[in-house]
């Protein structure tokens, strides 16, 4: 009987289907190790973490380093604010380029480090343009070209010919005994 290869193939398919959701939700080890989430909006960079505990009224400090800065002390430092569930910090007017965000909790441990690319949104330039002298003509189709009498008569003749030919064809189909 040939049912065993069929069952083996079905079993492998079911195993792959069961493993698919796990593979999709799995994160790289570097992303799991970092306890921070960095986002940008225009020239504003913000960081959120839940890894720090409050010690002596302080959650910790976050620093924004540009490509020329090497350590935490050289960066733009901002104190973390928030609750026991989530702490955050933000920097505004950040220059274009790649920056690194480092979060150090008040206990001295590093909550995480993450790089971010800042590209401020460009503001659209608005300029006035001249409108057409006659604008869009109303009526059928809104065309800007005015057709002459000869063109309209020729088009009407073509439509009328099509209607007559259709009626004649349909009439002949209903009476197959006539040639």
């Amino acid at each position: 009987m040939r049912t065993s290869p069929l069952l083996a193939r079905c079993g492998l398919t079911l195993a792959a289907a069961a493993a698919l959701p796990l593979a999709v939700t799995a994160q790289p080890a570097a992303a799991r190790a970092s306890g921070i989430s960095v986002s940008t909006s225009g020239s504003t960079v913000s960081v959120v973490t839940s890894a720090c505990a409050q010690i002596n009224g302080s959650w910790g400090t976050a620093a924004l380093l540009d490509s020329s800065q090497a350590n935490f002390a050289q960066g733009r430092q901002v104190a973390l604010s928030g609750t026991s569930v989530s702490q955050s910090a933000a920097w505004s007017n950040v220059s274009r380029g790649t920056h690194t965000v480092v979060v150090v909790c008040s206990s001295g441990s590093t909550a995480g480090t993450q790089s971010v690319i800042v590209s401020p949104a460009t503001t659209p330039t608005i300029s006035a343009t001249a409108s057409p002298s006659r604008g869009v003509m109303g009526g059928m189709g809104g065309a800007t070209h005015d057709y002459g009498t000869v063109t309209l008569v020729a088009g009407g003749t073509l439509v009328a010919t099509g209607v007559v030919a259709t009626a004649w064809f349909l009439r002949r189909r209903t009476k197959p005994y006539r040639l």
Side-chain angles (χ1 to χ4, degrees), residues 103-116:
V103 176
V104 176
C105 297
S106 57
S107 64
S109 64
T110 302
T113 301
Q114 188 173 346
S115 293
V116 64

Side-chain angles (χ1 to χ4, degrees), residues 43-70:
S43 64
T44 301
V45 176
S46 60
V47 62
V48 177
T49 185
S50 59
C52 297
Q54 190 175 23
I55 299 175
N56 296 329
S58 172
W59 293 103
T61 308
L64 180 71
L65 306 160
D66 63 15
S67 59
S68 66
Q69 297 168 328

Side-chain angles (χ1 to χ4, degrees), residues 9 21 33 35 40-41 50-51 53 65 74 79 88 102 104 114 128-129 133 137 145 152 165 169:
R9 281 186 284 175
T40 64
S41 175
S50 59
L65 306 160
Q74 294 176 340
S88 64
V102 181
V104 176
Q114 188 173 346
T129 58
S133 61
M137 295 176 62
H145 184 71
L152 293 176
F169 178 76

Side-chain angles (χ1 to χ4, degrees), residues 104-172:
V104 176
C105 297
S106 57
S107 64
S109 64
T110 302
T113 301
Q114 188 173 346
S115 293
V116 64
I117 297 173
V118 177
S119 56
T122 59
T123 57
T125 55
I126 300 172
S127 61
T129 58
S131 60
S133 61
R134 291 180 57 192
V136 176
M137 295 176 62
M140 296 177 55
T144 59
H145 184 71
D146 191 15
Y147 294 104
T149 307
V150 175
T151 305
L152 293 176
V153 169
T157 303
L158 286 173
V159 170
T161 304
V163 169
V164 169
T166 302
W168 178 75
F169 178 76
L170 291 175
R171 182 177 169 272
R172 289 192 47 91

